[in-house]
Amino acid sequence: QVQLVESGGGSVQAGGSLKLSCAASGRLFSSCEMGWYRQDLEKKRERESVAYIWRDDTTDYAPSVKGRFTISHAGGRTNLYLEMNSLKTEDAGVYYCFARCFYPDSGDYWGQGTQVNVSS
């Protein structure tokens, strides 16, 4: 069974830092592109991509987080991280780990999410 399990969320003051982790298991992840998505706490908007790492290790960031957030992976992409610095109140939300895999079989996978609260 494929699982993505996020951790590291919590409450922090604006200007602070958090590091999110995603533990992936149940299949080969080395062929996957992976990312972090955020949904606002009221769930009034669609999940939006915050940071994405492609199969060639190039990365993309939402303009609002560029320069403050860093996505990385380890262990054949069985661990995905999001280091978040200089947090702003608008960064608050539920953060989801995502994987889109291609080999040996294709599939899209989501974690259950971890909540980040940022107070002013």
Side-chain angles (χ1 to χ4, degrees), residues 69-90:
F69 290 11
T70 303
I71 188 172
S72 62
H73 65 83
R77 298 189 178 222
T78 57
N79 292 284
L80 184 72
Y81 304 102
L82 184 67
E83 186 159 2
M84 306 186 294
N85 298 311
S86 303
L87 281 161
K88 303 177 181 181
T89 54
E90 54 263 41

Side-chain angles (χ1 to χ4, degrees), residues 86-108:
S86 303
L87 281 161
K88 303 177 181 181
T89 54
E90 54 263 41
D91 295 323
V94 180
Y95 283 72
Y96 296 90
C97 178
F98 169 78
R100 172 162 289 170
C101 304
F102 301 91
Y103 179 85
D105 52 290
S106 61
D108 288 351

Side-chain angles (χ1 to χ4, degrees), residues 56-76:
D56 64 356
D57 278 348
T58 56
T59 56
D60 283 317
Y61 295 92
S64 61
V65 308
K66 202 167 187 179
R68 299 188 296 120
F69 290 11
T70 303
I71 188 172
S72 62
H73 65 83

Side-chain angles (χ1 to χ4, degrees), residues 41-57:
L41 294 173
E42 295 79 19
K43 298 189 177 180
K44 292 183 178 177
R45 295 191 299 271
E46 294 289 322
R47 293 179 189 179
E48 57 179 359
S49 177
V50 173
Y52 208 82
I53 188 161
W54 300 91
R55 293 166 69 187
D56 64 356
D57 278 348

